[in-house]
Amino acid sequence: MERKRFVKSLVLVTLAPSLFIAACRNEKKAAASQNYTCPMHPQIIKDVPGSCPICGMDLVPVSSGSDKNELILMNSQIQLANITTMQIAQSNFGTSKVLNARLVTNPELSEVISSRYAGRIERLFVKETGRQVSKGQALFQIYSEELQTLQQDYLLQVKQVAAFPNEKIYVTLGEAAKSKLRLFGYSNPQIENLVRSNKISPFVTVNATASGIVNEVSVSEGQYVSEGSPIIRLENFNQLWVEADVYPGEASSIKVGTPVKVSVYGFPELEQTVEINFISPQIDPSSQILKVRGPIQSQGKLQSGMQATVLLNTAKINNAVALPLNAVIRDGKGAHVWIKTGKNTFAPKMVTTGQEDENQIVIISGLENVKEVVVSGAYLLSSEFILKKGSDAMTKHNMSKM
């Protein structure tokens, strides 16, 4: 009996140092596997205590937790982080691009009032730009000796016709003289008044031939002008042009007749769909862009010079899986999302992305057999994962297979 006790004591004495050494090794191994992170910057992970190189806070230990690449949160944590999910579904997806644009006057609707005869501008009834002018409104009065001669010739022919009503030659000459007055801007009421008063005058009042906004006044009172000299330029703002900038690489998605949505800054209620009716055949050498344009209705509010944006549809994908942009986290390792794997349980999933617009992004692969995806709070989940696990959420993923 005494011998058995002696043997047991000898075994314990012999094994004690080995157990102590193994325990120390395990303790050292556990200590070596301990990671530390910054509460404010969870991307900072070190294997020794210290301070955060960004904010200077003391690093805190993180638990490695389970080896499973999942997060389990409480209901309060989910509500506080505003974590919401959506069911995976296929839908039609269209990508678009925003083009810088501006409103310019439509020269096809511009009207230039010019002098039809040489003379002196006696009076200007419209002297400043920006004024609204109606059709038939008096614009200026001009003194012209040539016009006085035409008036005198017409009155002579009228008298000849009255004296010899059966002579066709006088009727023909009278019509010719009347046509000359019309060519020089005389209206029918002015011609009738000339005949009625039987008085010639070297002054004639020129009226607007169209309605519009005075864009330019090229003369001043007392100035002599020649035949054909421009006097006043009128712009019609009822219809304008929207002119957009397009880079050469984007030009292939635009054709004459392509519909685009136009929004003018300050007038969101006037958003319109416009068809492109012109594509510049030449690149601007200074800016390396092409100009495209289309007509836009001003509805009495829009003016030339206003800034606008043009929304150009660049692609359309049928039966696509599209997620909000905030649902996808992109870094140097690629792109991943957080999926819901159970009640209050979430896991990261590597995905391959495709086309995107200002709101959504297409997922090409990676969500097969996935039913629910986190659409808000994904970044907070990644930060929580680092704090709990001590490593990045995508560390265990094989990037080469994606």
Side-chain angles (χ1 to χ4, degrees):
M1 187 70 179
E2 293 296 332
R3 186 176 180 180
K4 289 183 178 180
R5 289 179 179 177
F6 175 76
V7 173
K8 288 182 178 179
S9 300
L10 182 62
V11 171
L12 289 174
V13 171
T14 305
L15 292 177
S18 300
L19 293 173
F20 176 76
I21 294 172
C24 290
R25 286 178 179 175
N26 290 336
E27 185 178 350
K28 289 181 179 180
K29 185 177 181 181
S33 63
Q34 178 66 62
N35 290 329
Y36 299 84
T37 186
C38 175
M40 297 299 294
H41 302 92
Q43 70 271 25
I44 302 300
I45 300 174
K46 293 187 176 182
D47 55 3
V48 293
S51 300
C52 175
I54 299 177
C55 63
M57 291 183 64
D58 292 336
L59 301 181
V60 298
V62 295
S63 59
S64 58
S66 173
D67 291 336
K68 198 172 182 181
N69 214 24
E70 288 184 341
L71 270 181
I72 300 177
L73 303 179
M74 296 183 296
N75 290 332
S76 59
Q77 290 177 304
I78 293 176
Q79 293 177 358
L80 189 62
N82 190 28
I83 296 173
T84 59
T85 62
M86 66 172 285
Q87 296 288 333
I88 294 294
Q90 292 184 339
S91 61
N92 295 334
F93 177 82
T95 59
S96 58
K97 184 174 182 62
V98 177
L99 307 178
N100 293 324
R102 67 212 62 84
L103 302 185
V104 297
T105 56
N106 184 349
E108 295 176 353
L109 301 179
S110 299
E111 188 78 17
V112 178
I113 311 298
S114 59
S115 175
R116 300 189 179 186
Y117 22 75
R120 182 182 69 244
I121 302 298
E122 195 69 20
R123 186 178 178 185
L124 278 173
F125 299 107
V126 178
K127 298 181 180 180
E128 67 275 6
T129 60
R131 281 189 57 180
Q132 175 72 42
V133 171
S134 302
K135 184 177 181 179
Q137 181 178 335
L139 297 181
F140 62 92
Q141 186 182 66
I142 188 171
Y143 168 83
S144 174
E145 295 180 355
E146 183 180 3
L147 178 62
Q148 186 176 11
T149 301
L150 291 175
Q151 292 175 356
Q152 190 173 17
D153 181 51
Y154 177 67
L155 289 178
L156 177 60
Q157 298 302 328
V158 170
K159 291 178 182 179
Q160 292 281 16
V161 171
F164 306 97
N166 296 326
E167 296 291 338
K168 292 184 178 181
I169 184 64
Y170 294 122
V171 176
T172 303
L173 291 175
E175 289 297 327
K178 187 176 183 178
S179 297
K180 286 184 180 180
L181 286 175
R182 286 175 176 168
L183 289 174
F184 276 80
Y186 246 53
S187 63
N188 288 330
Q190 287 174 316
I191 294 175
E192 293 172 0
N193 184 59
L194 174 64
V195 175
R196 186 167 50 251
S197 65
N198 196 31
K199 292 181 180 179
I200 61 176
S201 173
F203 302 100
V204 64
T205 300
V206 178
N207 300 324
T209 56
S211 300
I213 304 295
V214 178
N215 179 265
E216 182 181 359
V217 179
S218 305
V219 298
S220 56
E221 290 183 350
Q223 179 178 340
Y224 280 87
V225 295
S226 58
E227 181 181 349
S229 297
I231 307 298
I232 293 176
R233 183 184 185 90
L234 301 178
E235 299 290 355
N236 189 333
F237 285 169
N238 291 329
Q239 186 189 86
L240 301 170
W241 278 348
V242 57
E243 188 178 75
D245 300 331
V246 178
Y247 288 98
E250 303 164 347
S252 59
S253 59
I254 303 179
K255 298 178 181 179
V256 173
T258 298
V260 295
K261 285 187 177 180
V262 180
S263 298
V264 181
Y265 293 118
F267 297 92
E269 71 280 3
L270 297 183
E271 182 179 272
Q272 302 177 39
T273 299
V274 172
E275 286 191 1
I276 299 297
N277 63 2
F278 175 80
I279 302 175
S280 176
Q282 185 177 7
I283 297 177
D284 187 337
S286 60
S287 60
Q288 293 297 303
I289 58 176
L290 289 170
K291 302 287 186 182
V292 300
R293 64 171 181 252
I296 183 172
Q297 303 300 322
S298 70
Q299 301 184 20
K301 296 182 180 180
L302 305 181
Q303 295 186 18
S304 174
M306 289 183 172
Q307 295 299 307
T309 57
V310 171
L311 196 62
L312 174 66
N313 293 326
T314 55
K316 186 176 181 180
I317 305 174
N318 296 325
N319 300 323
V321 175
L323 298 178
L325 287 178
N326 291 335
V328 181
I329 300 176
R330 287 177 277 193
D331 53 26
K333 299 181 179 68
H336 70 275
V337 300
W338 282 86
I339 63 174
K340 188 173 182 180
T341 57
K343 183 178 180 181
N344 296 0
T345 305
F346 306 92
K349 192 80 166 71
M350 204 72 183
V351 294
T352 302
T353 60
Q355 297 279 354
E356 65 179 276
D357 59 13
E358 66 275 11
N359 297 317
Q360 293 183 308
I361 183 169
V362 173
I363 306 300
I364 298 176
S365 63
L367 294 182
E368 296 80 7
N369 302 322
V370 174
K371 295 182 179 180
E372 206 165 346
V373 176
V374 174
V375 293
S376 68
Y379 284 92
L380 292 176
L381 284 175
S382 294
S383 299
E384 183 70 11
F385 187 92
I386 294 174
L387 283 172
K388 287 187 174 181
K389 305 292 185 179
S391 62
D392 186 85
M394 304 312 296
T395 300
K396 298 181 181 180
H397 282 253
N398 188 350
M399 305 299 167
S400 62
K401 295 181 179 180
M402 298 305 298

